[in-house]
Amino acid sequence: MAVRIDHLALAAHDARESAQFLADIFGLSDPYEAGPFLAVDVDETFTIDYAAPPIDFPGQHVAFLVGEDDFDVIHARLEHRGITYWADPHQRWVGQYNTNDGGRGLYFDDPAGHHLEVITRRYGSGG
């Protein structure tokens, strides 16, 4: 049996703001309404659905595997928008990216406080 993630629901203080942020940074199609959610299609098999619950919530971590060219575009968008990013999850190396496993990676926060990661190679894939 193959198991794949179909969608992920994330809480947001402002669902529209967070959904549009994700779409803008990753160059994805605009968010659309899907029941009580604002959905962003990450690819043809995976969607992130945002909702604004009436409770406080902790930030979650979501990592995205992208190609080298896509990494360059995403990195440039973060720079252009003045969004702080880090090479490490502990937020020590500001404005840098890592070269773990022979690829590149960086971390940044979205408007809801979720910790997003962009990597070009899976962890443990080489070096």
Side-chain angles (χ1 to χ4, degrees):
M1 173 174 75
V3 177
R4 295 184 58 113
I5 294 176
D6 177 73
H7 66 278
L8 173 69
L10 289 177
H13 304 292
D14 180 325
R16 185 160 307 282
E17 177 187 34
S18 290
Q20 193 64 57
F21 176 85
L22 182 75
D24 290 348
I25 293 300
F26 285 92
L28 303 170
S29 297
D30 284 335
Y32 58 92
E33 291 185 21
F37 301 99
L38 276 170
V40 178
D41 290 332
V42 176
D43 64 23
E44 62 279 351
T45 65
F46 180 60
T47 303
I48 295 182
D49 301 333
Y50 287 93
I55 58 169
D56 196 23
F57 54 87
Q60 301 297 304
H61 174 74
V62 182
F64 298 88
L65 180 64
V66 302
E68 290 289 341
D69 291 341
D70 293 323
F71 183 93
D72 291 335
V73 172
I74 292 165
H75 181 242
R77 287 182 183 132
L78 293 171
E79 288 276 340
H80 178 76
R81 292 179 71 165
I83 296 170
T84 302
Y85 60 92
W86 304 270
D88 66 307
H90 304 291
Q91 302 178 342
R92 291 178 295 211
W93 299 304
V94 179
Q96 300 176 50
Y97 58 81
N98 66 59
T99 56
N100 298 341
D101 290 292
R104 294 182 290 165
L106 58 78
Y107 301 79
F108 60 100
D109 288 345
D110 81 351
H114 296 298
H115 314 294
L116 306 182
E117 178 181 9
V118 179
I119 55 175
T120 61
R121 299 222 22 200
R122 296 190 76 208
Y123 291 118
S125 66

